[in-house]
Amino acid sequence: PDTVDEKFKKHWESWFSQDDVDQFVELGLNTVRIPLGYWIIEDLVDRSTEYFPRGGFSQLRRGLQQLGKAGIVAILDHHALPGVQDPQQQFTGRCTTDVEFYTPYNYHRALVWTAVMTALSHVDPAFSNVVAIEAVNEPIMDANQTPGYGEFQKNFVLVVRAVELLLGIPVPELDSGLHIQVNTNITASLNFATHLPPVFPSEVKEAVLDAIPILLKLRPSVKEILHFSSPNKNETLITNFMDINWQFNNPPNPADAAIGHQIYDNHLYYSFGGVADATEDAYLRHNCNLDRIQNDAALGNSPLYFGEWALPTQFPASDEFLYKWADAQKRAYSQGAGWIFWNFKIEKSDLAGDTARQWSYIEGVKLGYLTKDPSKLHNPYVCDPYLDGA
């Protein structure tokens, strides 16, 4: 316990560096989706029962600054939610069947996290390349097990827009009736949350107010945060949700929560099963006829991007197949708002084996499966033999 923070600091500094950013530029990448645990805002952590490394916030600022200088924009993805949002998943920060995110206490902590990140995205120069915040990564698919999630979606958007209004950023889609003189002291500005109109419920106002002491404690890291001449950007952030079809059993529609620009995220991994039969032909036939973009659009979930995908399979994949598999997936996902590969790199070691071959974007480019220019395909006609009616 006495050395873990230092060990994580060394890991973060070595795992993501300027060399990686330089590779992103060389490969023509323009967007990153950064998976974040709620514990990056350390005041939200209950240290009596929750044990996470400290120091991640300064590493996030460093990475954002490096990416921003390279002209790469960022989506802040709330990847691991307070209380755990999905059972037995390492990405939540704790593998457990005790899922407690879908409770008032943890919904509130997530909203406070959202208020802090929204404020930072507008007033901290290190966050100037942040364009979107994603509310929840991969909630439980069965909507019967996510009580209150629909209300949380609406409150998430309202928190983002409340902070923006209080910082003097116009929200044209929201006739708030709010007329305040913007204060260049961020905490004074956010204190006006008590004057927000009735469209903002008490839970939203409380989340904004509870963000203030956290922002004050960030002073040593973010000197610019208390006084700002004007926001980094005069446009609202894009709010981001997993799409409605991520869940089943009459899920809430995140489109109902939208106020202003909003995007939707879908993840598709064939290797985990349940998508297509475990054969090359079945994979290509399914992906080449993928209708997720159209199905989501019919429910108002557009634009849709594919925020996670990769090249793993349920069967040993030949090099020849992986050329096709990369092309087919890029072709399908580019028909929407675009795609983000999971992950940019994977550990290469005896323990990791050959995992990077199908899970690492940089390795996929080196091996030739993925074209160096992300907008290109090896074979634009890769799907012709597999299209319905072909």
Side-chain angles (χ1 to χ4, degrees):
D2 298 328
T3 60
V4 66
D5 291 345
E6 182 60 30
K7 288 181 184 297
F8 265 91
K9 181 175 183 291
K10 290 179 180 178
H11 165 67
W12 287 324
E13 291 175 347
S14 61
W15 184 251
F16 183 78
S17 68
Q18 186 61 45
D19 288 344
D20 296 303
V21 177
D22 293 343
Q23 278 197 287
F24 290 0
V25 173
E26 183 182 353
L27 296 175
L29 303 179
N30 59 19
T31 306
V32 296
R33 175 176 174 263
I34 305 177
L36 300 171
Y38 75 94
W39 55 87
I40 200 167
I41 303 300
E42 294 171 11
D43 277 13
L44 292 175
V45 177
D46 180 354
R47 293 287 168 192
S48 67
T49 59
E50 299 171 337
Y51 310 101
F52 296 102
R54 290 163 289 198
F57 179 71
S58 62
Q59 297 295 330
L60 173 62
R61 293 189 79 240
R62 170 185 66 83
L64 284 171
Q65 287 172 311
Q66 291 171 316
L67 291 163
K69 288 177 182 177
I72 297 171
V73 300
I75 299 168
L76 301 182
D77 155 37
H78 205 170
H79 207 76
L81 280 293
V84 176
Q85 78 271 25
D86 207 1
Q88 301 291 48
Q89 292 285 1
Q90 290 181 345
F91 67 72
T92 66
R94 190 160 63 96
C95 284
T96 178
T97 57
D98 184 18
V99 175
E100 296 185 8
F101 169 60
Y102 309 97
T103 62
Y105 171 65
N106 285 315
Y107 278 142
H108 180 73
R109 286 202 289 173
L111 291 176
V112 176
W113 186 98
T114 301
V116 171
M117 288 300 181
T118 301
L120 291 170
S121 297
H122 283 293
V123 305
D124 181 359
F127 282 67
S128 61
N129 59 327
V130 172
V131 295
I133 300 180
E134 186 164 8
V136 181
N137 174 69
E138 297 192 359
I140 294 175
M141 289 182 164
D142 184 352
N144 287 337
Q145 298 180 39
T146 60
Y149 181 49
E151 181 182 1
F152 171 78
Q153 291 175 340
K154 293 178 180 178
N155 285 342
F156 168 84
V157 175
L158 286 168
V159 164
V160 173
R161 301 304 179 223
V163 171
E164 291 174 331
L165 282 171
L166 294 167
L167 295 178
I169 297 160
V171 183
E173 298 81 5
L174 189 62
D175 183 14
S176 67
L178 184 67
H179 301 287
I180 62 169
Q181 184 170 354
V182 177
N183 195 313
T184 55
N185 181 308
I186 183 175
T187 56
S189 294
L190 297 185
N191 263 314
F192 275 95
T194 54
H195 301 289
L196 287 167
V199 69
F200 296 95
S202 59
E203 172 63 7
V204 169
K205 297 176 185 178
E206 290 167 10
V208 174
L209 293 171
D210 286 349
I212 294 173
I214 295 175
L215 290 165
L216 285 169
K217 285 190 178 181
L218 291 176
R219 264 185 302 186
S221 299
V222 191
K223 294 179 181 178
E224 302 92 340
I225 199 169
L226 291 184
H227 299 283
F228 62 101
S229 57
S230 62
N232 293 329
K233 49 185 87 72
N234 205 38
E235 294 183 358
T236 57
L237 292 169
I238 301 168
T239 50
N240 185 187
F241 293 97
M242 298 294 297
D243 62 319
I244 183 174
N245 287 312
W246 178 258
Q247 291 189 294
F248 60 89
N249 276 336
N250 193 31
N253 190 341
D256 294 339
I259 301 172
H261 300 301
Q262 187 158 289
I263 54 176
Y264 305 87
D265 179 12
N266 188 264
H267 301 167
L268 184 50
Y269 296 113
Y270 284 71
S271 57
F272 298 141
V275 180
D277 291 341
T279 68
E280 293 183 4
D281 184 81
Y283 271 38
L284 289 167
R285 195 165 298 281
H286 181 276
N287 193 262
C288 289
N289 294 284
L290 196 67
D291 57 3
R292 294 192 178 192
I293 295 169
Q294 297 89 331
N295 290 343
D296 273 1
L299 297 171
N301 285 210
S302 182
L304 176 75
Y305 74 101
F306 287 78
E308 291 187 25
W309 66 282
L311 302 179
T313 56
Q314 296 164 283
F315 50 84
S318 66
D319 289 341
E320 180 184 6
F321 174 71
L322 290 180
Y323 279 97
K324 294 180 181 179
W325 191 219
D327 273 356
Q329 290 192 84
K330 286 168 63 179
R331 171 192 172 277
Y333 310 150
S334 295
Q335 294 175 32
W339 49 263
I340 299 173
F341 193 95
W342 183 279
N343 201 323
F344 77 100
K345 69 179 178 183
I346 295 292
E347 175 185 336
K348 297 181 71 175
S349 65
D350 290 341
L351 182 63
D354 204 22
T355 305
R357 176 174 178 255
Q358 291 172 264
W359 282 96
S360 163
Y361 187 83
I362 291 173
E363 189 69 10
V365 173
K366 287 180 180 177
L367 294 171
Y369 308 140
L370 295 156
T371 55
K372 185 174 180 180
D373 181 343
S375 68
K376 304 295 185 184
L377 303 178
H378 294 294
N379 176 14
Y381 309 104
V382 62
C383 278
D384 283 6
Y386 305 98
L387 293 172
D388 288 344

